[in-house]
Structures are given as C-alpha cells and as structure tokens.
Amino acid sequence: MTSSVAAVWGHRGVLRLLVQRDLTVKYQQSVLGYIWSLIEPLGMGLIYYFVFGVLYGERVGPAHASYPLFVLTGVFAWMWVSSSLNESTSALTGQARLITTMKVPREVFPIGRVIGRFAEYLAGVPILIIAAILFDGDFGWNMLALPLALMLQAILLTGISLLLSSLNVLLRDVERLMRLAQRALFYAAPIIYPLSRVQQSDVPEWVKTLYEINPLVGIFQLHHAAWIANEWPPNWLLITSAAGCLIVLLSGWWVFRRLEPAVLKEL
Amino acid sequence: MSSEPIIEARDLGIRFVRNRRRQLSLRDMFIHRGGSHPRAGDFWPLRNLSFDIMPGEAVGVIGRNGTGKSTLLRLVAGVLIPDEGAITTRGAVAPLLELSAGFSSGLTGRENVHLVGSLHGMSRGTLRAKFDEIVEFAGDQVRAAIDTPVRHYSSGMKVRLGFSVIAQLHHPILLVDEVMAVGDKDFREKCYATMERLLAEGRTLVLVSHNENDLTRFCTRGLYINAGKLEVDGTVREALDAYNGLVRA
C-alpha cells in the first residue's frame, strides 16, 4: 500500500490534469456551467427548509440555531458525498479507454473524481459564508471544524471511491445499488436534522450505537459546527468517526489492489 | 548498448475467464489468493512465455487472430497484470495500442493533445514547444479542426493525431499494435518514416502486425505465438515461415 500511495503521489500531475479535464468536460456543455454546483444544493436546501423548517417547524430544527443555516451547511457537504459516490462508480468503467492504454497508477481515476467534486464544494463555500452572515452563524474557533471535517471526508470518500470504482467493473449492479444506498445514507447522518434528535429519541440503545458508528455522523457534525458553534461533536464521536474513515480507506485501497488484475482484464 | 535486457519476461501467463459469471464469485476472488485451481471456463491467452529483448532491438510479434499478441503488448505496457510469472521493463513505454485512445470526445484536439501528452509524461514545456510539430504531422485536416471537439473528428483524423502525439515521446520502448493498417497511403508513408527515425535513434520496438512487408521492413527478430505459447523466437523470417507453414497446412 505504501508503494501505491507513493506511486499516486508521483503522478499528482496526472491527477491534476484528470480533474481539470473532468471539470472542463462537465461544464462546457451547459449554459450555467459551474453555477450548477451551487444551484443544486441551494435548491435542495430550500426544499428541506420548506418541508422541515416551515411545515414541521420546531419539531426538526436545532434548538439554538437557525434552521436554514443548519440545512445549508449539511446539504453543501452532502453534495460532495453524493456526487462522489455517483461518479466514482463510473470512474473506471467510464474511462476504460484511457486506463487500457496508459500506464498510470489506476488509483488516480477514482481519486480524481473525489477531488473534482471537492472543487465543487469549495465553489460553494462563499455561499456558506453569506448564509452564516445572514443567519447569525458563529465566526470563531469553531471554524477549525471545517478543515477537520474536510480532511476526514476526503479520507472516507477516497476509500469508498476506490472500493466502488473497482467493484463496479466486475458487478455493474453496484451502480444501481448506490442510488438506494445514497438515499439511506442521506437520512442516516445528521444532515437535515440535528444529532440531538437521534440521541433524545426512543430508539433502542444499540440502534443509536449503530448510528454513531457511521463515520458520516461525525463529519456532518463538524460541518455544522464550523458555522454553528454549539454543534461541536463530543470527542468520542470524533474518534469513532476518524477511526471509521481510516478503516474505510484501508479496506477500500486493499480491495482495489486485490481486484486490479481482474478489473484490467474486464475493461 | 547495455547488456541488460530492456524487456524481460519470465514464465509470463495471464488467465481470462470465459464465463464472466464465474468471475463474480467474491469467495473466489478473496479467499483463493490468485491460486491456480483449474476451473471450468478458464483459459490462458498466454502462458509460460519467457524472452529477453535487448535495447535497440526491433521485434515483430506474429500469430493468428486471438493468439494473445495484443494481450502480450498490453502486458508489456503494464496495462494488464499477469497472473503468473513477471514482466520487467527497464525504461518508459510509449504504447500505441489503440491509436485514438485516451482522447476524450468532449475536449478539443488541442486539449486532448495536452492531456494525452502529459499523461504519457511529456512536460508542459515540451508540449508547448512540440505542439505545432504534432499538429503539422497530423495533417491539414486536423490542423483546421484543432479547436473543435474530437467527437467531430473522423476516425482517420483521430488516428493521425494520436500517432503524432506518441511519435513525440522520448520513451525508449515503443509498442505498436497494427497501426500501419489504418490511415491513408500518405499518412502511412509518414508513419514509416517516423518509425525508421525512431529505430535509428536506438529505440526498442515491439510490433504486432499481420503485414509481412511491415514486419520484414522494421524487425530483426520475430516471436511467433500460437495458442498462447511462444513457438518460435528467432529471425523475422523464421517466425514468418512458421506462421505461413501453419496457415498453409
């Protein structure tokens, strides 16, 4: 594994090119271009705000912060997760011609997808800042949560994308399964509702434990905490989340290495 | 000339699975760690291949369709991983496995030249310096269309541009799979001239072709592969004779 990490690092120029190409191709055929990466989460945020903020009112939102800001910080970070999941399944199958003719470490293809989607997240950060100003966000030490969240999320998504991209070559079902899995994951993390709702609910303890094992839980708490100080997650949650991310990365990378010979034959 | 072989194959073998379903068995994939259990549906496009290729050699790979020639080239290029044995290359490989390969149809010719060139290890500076030469070599038609997306190119145009990029690489090993068969006569002449220039520079060439003229023109050595086995490793003439003997019989 260390050797393949080194190989990927040695090809970071290639990585940069792939990301650039991805972004160019993705946006050159649409009129609004990269603004789409803002419209989508904004639209989603508006929908969730309408349903859970306006219709359900106090029953869903966090107690001490404005719900619109809470939803936006969650949804923008979620877009990075969901588009990475989507696009990493096709990272190898969709670039088969490149992969079967170029000798570069194959890991760069799924990793490139994750970085590309990260760039889209960064494009949305100004929106988050504006939202935080409008809705009384906290600008202080709590903002350190953001780099931490991004780091954990990058680790997690890299692991998942390595796993999904290689598996999808051999089992095309993965692509379909992901649509369902995405929906489940979206509600299985505190994105549009605060973590306290789960902790205060009547579900059995083991369900809560299972819920908290999901590394996304800690990551999204950090994303909220970056703008809403009192959402800062407890240390045990951070440690669980960090451990989960590392496990996913290691196993994703391991599966990728194991499947690589079969994947190359199949492409 | 160094005495170390630039390409070294030892007991090289790769297994494909005829019935794809079998490959999907996760149990097989994870539990039998590359074990060589004979399973129904397995077949070996190549097996027990050993050869050394010295720097500067020009080797022709000869054989009928489906005998693993292209698979061999992919193994040398490192875009397939062998199941048995090992292949070592001492130097970067410029593969011409699929001529237009690597071009993204949504990008313009110019963007693709930069992308593919840099993926093959050309620096930005070199690319900028060589860009005109690359486009020049690809011909007038391509030059006129260099800023339109590649999906509007004819296959001939893609081939021309693809070859032009690869021809600019300074990699010591050149792998060529049936390129002479494509492109019009004019372009083929250009390809011939380029190949000869590259050989004169001391590059190592591995060429897959069915064209006897091409093989005898460029190659000094021939590998005749039949049913996944290396049957003849000798001069091009010997390999071609073995091939022709089989075809006639």
Side-chain angles (χ1 to χ4, degrees):
Chain A
M1 170 141 176
T2 43
S3 68
S4 69
V5 174
V8 171
W9 181 246
H11 284 78
R12 56 193 184 282
V14 170
L15 205 52
R16 203 194 56 226
L17 274 160
L18 284 174
V19 172
Q20 275 174 359
R21 184 208 52 171
D22 263 7
L23 293 173
T24 322
V25 172
K26 191 166 169 186
Y27 292 122
Q28 75 185 174
Q29 276 160 325
S30 65
V31 184
L32 291 179
Y34 100 103
I35 297 175
W36 274 116
S37 63
L38 308 179
I39 295 177
E40 247 183 287
L42 271 176
M44 267 179 74
L46 204 65
I47 293 168
Y48 290 116
Y49 169 67
F50 175 72
V51 175
F52 297 109
V54 177
L55 298 185
Y56 284 82
E58 285 118 58
R59 296 202 46 222
V60 179
H64 311 286
S66 86
Y67 189 58
L69 177 60
F70 185 86
V71 165
L72 281 182
T73 54
V75 165
F76 269 83
W78 168 253
M79 289 309 289
W80 182 18
V81 176
S82 79
S83 52
S84 292
L85 293 184
N86 263 335
E87 297 196 13
S88 61
T89 48
S90 63
L92 295 178
T93 49
Q95 305 182 86
R97 301 194 70 190
L98 218 53
I99 296 163
T100 52
T101 50
M102 257 3 122
K103 193 188 170 172
V104 291
R106 262 68 60 166
E107 288 89 345
V108 299
F109 295 98
I111 294 175
R113 291 288 165 96
V114 174
I115 297 176
R117 303 298 73 79
F118 175 57
E120 290 171 356
Y121 171 82
L122 284 183
V125 171
I127 302 265
L128 290 179
I129 295 174
I130 293 170
I133 295 170
L134 288 180
F135 299 106
D136 267 346
D138 302 309
F139 294 91
W141 287 107
N142 60 300
M143 295 190 84
L144 285 179
L146 193 60
L148 191 58
L150 297 178
M151 197 182 72
L152 288 179
Q153 198 171 349
I155 293 173
L156 181 73
L157 292 180
T158 303
I160 296 179
S161 72
L162 287 169
L163 179 78
L164 290 182
S165 61
S166 54
L167 217 52
N168 189 49
V169 177
L170 305 172
L171 299 147
R172 303 282 162 130
D173 318 49
V174 170
E175 218 164 327
R176 313 218 155 215
L177 183 69
M178 278 327 293
R179 283 182 220 156
L180 181 64
Q182 258 187 56
R183 184 121 315 195
L185 281 177
F186 179 76
Y187 290 103
I191 300 171
I192 54 169
Y193 56 82
L195 181 59
S196 51
R197 297 269 167 209
V198 178
Q199 284 163 343
Q200 288 156 14
S201 70
D202 302 329
V203 294
E205 278 307 310
W206 64 269
V207 176
K208 289 185 189 171
T209 311
L210 203 65
Y211 179 91
E212 282 152 358
I213 286 173
N214 177 3
L216 284 174
V217 174
I219 291 172
F220 277 102
Q221 273 314 105
L222 283 171
H223 273 295
H224 294 309
W227 312 96
I228 304 166
N230 60 18
E231 290 292 328
W232 192 278
N235 284 337
W236 59 265
L237 186 63
L238 286 182
I239 292 167
T240 317
S241 183
C245 291
L246 279 177
I247 291 169
V248 170
L249 177 67
L250 290 174
S251 43
W253 211 302
W254 182 79
V255 169
F256 192 92
R257 300 295 296 177
R258 288 286 299 135
L259 296 184
E260 201 175 9
V263 162
L264 290 175
K265 287 176 201 169
E266 203 58 52
L267 282 175
Chain B
M1 193 182 280
S2 97
S3 57
E4 248 191 345
I6 193 161
I7 304 172
E8 200 180 303
R10 290 284 169 274
D11 288 320
L12 198 60
I14 187 160
R15 180 185 57 213
F16 279 32
V17 180
R18 238 188 267 272
N19 182 353
R20 220 181 74 96
R21 277 256 159 73
R22 291 191 163 271
Q23 195 163 0
L24 299 190
S25 152
L26 288 175
R27 190 181 58 92
D28 283 358
M29 233 175 302
F30 289 104
I31 298 172
H32 303 303
R33 303 182 57 100
S36 49
H37 303 269
R39 277 186 288 148
D42 279 9
F43 80 108
W44 295 79
L46 291 172
R47 201 165 195 186
N48 302 328
L49 252 72
S50 294
F51 57 85
D52 288 335
I53 293 175
M54 306 304 285
E57 268 192 308
V59 181
V61 181
I62 302 156
R64 290 194 294 180
N65 287 134
T67 44
K69 304 186 296 294
S70 298
T71 307
L72 177 62
L73 239 54
R74 286 181 188 280
L75 283 165
V76 175
V79 295
L80 275 178
I81 298 171
D83 291 304
E84 276 184 6
I87 182 137
T88 318
T89 49
R90 296 187 176 87
V93 177
L96 235 68
L97 304 173
E98 235 179 273
L99 264 183
S100 56
F103 287 172
S104 321
S105 56
L107 296 180
T108 66
R110 182 187 304 274
E111 289 164 335
N112 268 308
V113 167
H114 283 282
L115 177 71
V116 173
S118 1
L119 285 184
H120 279 304
M122 283 169 93
S123 72
R124 280 173 171 228
T126 330
L127 264 169
R128 220 172 291 128
K130 295 278 186 185
F131 187 80
D132 289 335
E133 208 177 313
I134 290 171
V135 177
E136 181 61 38
F137 188 87
D140 294 335
Q141 225 185 344
V142 174
R143 183 171 26 187
I146 196 69
D147 285 312
T148 47
V150 162
R151 70 172 169 264
H152 298 306
Y153 282 29
S154 73
S155 47
M157 285 161 75
K158 281 188 232 169
V159 161
R160 284 161 171 266
L161 193 56
F163 186 88
S164 308
V165 174
I166 302 288
Q168 292 295 339
L169 295 173
H170 287 284
H171 300 344
I173 305 169
L174 186 64
L175 306 178
V176 180
D177 194 352
E178 299 277 19
V179 275
M180 309 307 182
V182 291
D184 51 26
K185 196 176 165 213
D186 195 35
F187 186 67
R188 206 148 64 221
E189 288 307 319
K190 274 189 184 175
C191 286
Y192 284 153
T194 308
M195 302 260 292
E196 263 156 14
R197 176 175 62 81
L198 295 176
L199 281 172
E201 286 173 12
R203 315 273 185 110
T204 308
L205 171 73
V206 182
L207 173 71
V208 166
S209 179
H210 288 288
N211 184 326
E212 282 197 27
N213 291 332
D214 289 352
L215 287 163
T216 45
R217 177 169 187 163
F218 295 114
C219 301
T220 47
R221 183 173 156 197
L223 301 177
Y224 169 54
I225 296 181
N226 188 28
K229 300 228 160 17
L230 181 59
E231 299 220 333
V232 176
D233 179 357
T235 64
V236 176
R237 201 64 262 158
E238 288 165 358
L240 279 171
D241 286 344
Y243 173 60
N244 290 332
L246 182 100
V247 172
R248 257 181 239 119

